[in-house]
Amino acid sequence: MTKIREIYKCNICGNIVEILHAGVGQLVCCNEDMELMKEKTEDSSMEKHVPYIEKTENGILVKVGQNQDHPMVDEHFIEWIQIIADGTSYRKFLKPGDKPQAEFQIKSEKIEAREYCNVHGLWKS
Ligand SMILES: [Fe+2]
């Protein structure tokens, strides 16, 4: 049984999907079960992944790497940053060379952020 907003990955072809509507079936890709990506919340290595939320004049700024930006090179970068604010989901896709951050022009008190690193997986604030 899946849950809404879970992220699954195919370890063979690299497909990544988000659940928009939960169902009882097991997700399969390339003839293998897809892996549920665990939302990590604590950094143990030097590199920082837990999204950091800042309020700005325009809304919300989410950064990956508080004092030092997370790398944004071809082999290792933040693919997207997502926030869930009052039940609504917003996502910004990033590419190598971008800053590892995303600004969302919304006002909300209750915000959760997630980000996906192509090497280190899924992280949640
Ligand atoms: Fe990383």
Side-chain angles (χ1 to χ4, degrees):
M1 178 94 200
T2 58
K3 291 197 187 97
I4 195 159
R5 297 208 175 92
E6 280 180 341
I7 307 278
Y8 285 81
K9 182 178 183 183
C10 171
N11 289 317
I12 295 171
C13 76
N15 266 334
I16 296 176
V17 299
E18 178 174 3
I19 301 297
L20 302 180
H21 184 109
V24 293
Q26 169 66 45
L27 297 187
V28 172
C29 186
C30 298
N31 295 317
E32 299 264 345
D33 287 354
M34 294 186 85
E35 184 195 350
L36 172 64
M37 304 300 295
K38 196 175 171 293
E39 292 175 333
K40 291 173 271 194
T41 54
E42 254 171 69
D43 283 296
S44 50
S45 68
M46 287 284 287
E47 241 168 42
K48 299 299 173 220
H49 286 90
V50 175
Y52 177 74
I53 300 169
E54 231 175 66
K55 289 210 167 137
T56 66
E57 266 177 38
N58 303 320
I60 306 292
L61 181 66
V62 182
K63 290 181 178 174
V64 183
Q66 210 177 326
N67 300 318
Q68 197 186 348
D69 284 350
H70 181 281
M72 290 299 282
V73 294
D74 285 344
E75 317 75 59
H76 184 197
F77 69 103
I78 304 304
E79 293 194 15
W80 47 259
I81 294 173
Q82 177 186 34
I83 60 167
I84 294 148
D86 298 319
T88 303
S89 159
Y90 305 81
R91 176 182 281 113
K92 184 177 182 200
F93 287 95
L94 302 173
K95 52 186 191 313
D98 289 345
K99 267 189 99 56
Q101 64 181 48
E103 191 164 21
F104 300 91
Q105 300 194 352
I106 53 154
K107 302 270 182 216
S108 173
E109 289 307 310
K110 208 173 158 278
I111 290 164
E112 253 179 46
R114 299 198 293 187
E115 62 91 350
Y116 186 79
C117 167
N118 71 333
V119 175
H120 300 104
L122 185 62
W123 297 78
K124 186 177 126 175
S125 62

